[in-house]
Amino acid sequence: MTNALTPRDCVSAFIKRLTALDREKSPYDKFRDFCEMGFCAYAKITAPTPERAQELEDRYMQIVGTYRDKDTVRAYPELLALSANTIHQGCDFSRNVATELEVLNARIGQFFTPYDVARMMAMMSLHDAEALIRDNGFLTLQEPASGAGGMVLASADMLQQQGFDPGLHMLVNAVDLAPLCFHMTFLQLTLRGIPALVEHGNTLSGERFARAWTPATTAFYLHHGRLFPGASAISPAEEPVTIGEQLVLL
């Protein structure tokens, strides 16, 4: 009988496999492509229009076209499965990979909260989660600078430890200015099964450049029949929001 790999082992295995692929590209470029391709594949599921779904498909294929060695692209689903399995072990997987690859820009103050700190903060913030869920059916979280989504993952872990299903009892709005962080957050929350609106934007200025709902949001909406209360924070009050082909009036 073999022992299960620890999260640290999985991060090391991911980086080793990624580094060995298509050496014409840097590990950073391959990781960036991995995250964006994962984003395109999953965001297409909840695209609000066929045109947006086609845009995501076209972008996916555009990235594929930058690889002369197509074995690299064929290896990405294997790496995606490794990511998903590790995230469910209570790990900010993409944050750990990004840190090891040194893709953060410290010159502009970019850093990720260590996962142990994120868990402590989630524990402090969600001490009254049971009361909130009892009164409202679910709780909502706002993450204005999401990084790789670690704070949200830690919150999901805390809810699960309290006996709640993060896929039904939490709804998230996460924002980040960096495109890579936007893609990492979306991908990790998707793999963890967390209902969320993830946005590429500037929280301070209010600018928004792109957004996508995680696939888990559809089941959440079907269960509760509603999303964010008073949704002015995520869309104009007069406009409907679509999750895939499902029209949601907010």
Side-chain angles (χ1 to χ4, degrees):
M1 180 180 295
T2 58
N3 294 325
L5 291 176
T6 67
R8 182 185 294 274
D9 292 334
C10 292
V11 169
S12 298
F14 181 99
I15 292 175
K16 181 178 180 180
R17 179 74 171 120
L18 186 76
T19 302
L21 296 168
D22 198 338
R23 295 186 183 275
E24 290 188 359
K25 287 200 172 195
S26 70
Y28 167 75
D29 287 337
K30 287 179 284 189
F31 181 61
R32 179 196 60 200
D33 290 345
F34 167 81
C35 292
E36 186 172 3
M37 291 171 72
F39 166 79
C40 289
Y42 284 113
K44 181 180 175 182
I45 297 172
T46 57
T49 65
E51 291 76 17
R52 176 56 178 160
Q54 189 59 53
E55 286 177 7
L56 292 165
E57 176 67 18
D58 291 345
R59 176 57 184 158
Y60 183 98
M61 295 308 300
Q62 183 182 27
I63 297 172
V64 170
T66 66
Y67 286 84
R68 289 205 308 173
D69 180 2
K70 295 301 188 287
D71 284 341
T72 300
V73 177
R74 286 188 281 270
Y76 281 166
E78 170 194 336
L79 295 179
L80 191 66
L82 181 62
S83 303
N85 290 337
T86 311
I87 289 168
H88 279 276
Q89 295 182 46
C91 174
D92 187 354
F93 184 81
S94 290
R95 175 247 180 211
N96 292 342
V97 172
T99 300
E100 291 291 329
L101 293 177
E102 299 182 341
V103 304
L104 304 183
N105 189 341
R107 289 175 299 175
I108 62 173
Q110 191 177 50
F111 65 93
F112 294 154
T113 304
Y115 200 60
D116 288 343
V117 176
R119 286 175 63 88
M120 180 187 69
M121 294 173 66
M123 187 181 304
M124 295 169 61
S125 301
L126 298 177
H127 64 89
D128 58 348
E130 182 175 1
L132 291 171
I133 293 171
R134 182 179 63 246
D135 293 342
N136 302 306
F138 59 92
L139 57 82
T140 59
L141 298 178
Q142 173 76 34
E143 173 54 282
S146 62
M151 287 295 300
V152 179
L153 295 177
S155 297
D157 288 347
M158 289 300 101
L159 279 186
Q160 191 162 345
Q161 286 184 17
Q162 295 179 43
F164 297 105
D165 181 354
L168 295 178
H169 296 118
M170 66 185 294
L171 187 64
V172 176
N173 180 208
V175 184
D176 204 282
L177 182 59
L180 176 59
C181 291
F182 167 56
H183 295 144
M184 283 194 292
T185 296
F186 180 88
L187 188 56
Q188 292 214 111
L189 269 52
T190 291
L191 296 177
R192 186 64 171 84
I194 297 173
L197 176 65
V198 183
E199 298 182 287
H200 176 209
N202 187 326
T203 296
L204 295 178
S205 69
E207 294 174 280
R208 295 293 185 267
F209 313 114
R211 68 179 190 174
W213 295 92
T214 59
T217 313
T218 301
F220 178 96
Y221 175 73
L222 292 175
H223 180 81
H224 292 284
R226 60 193 175 99
L227 292 176
F228 293 98
S232 59
I234 60 171
S235 67
E238 305 81 18
E239 294 184 6
V241 170
T242 53
I243 304 174
E245 298 180 355
Q246 178 71 56
L247 183 65
V248 180
L249 298 175
L250 295 169

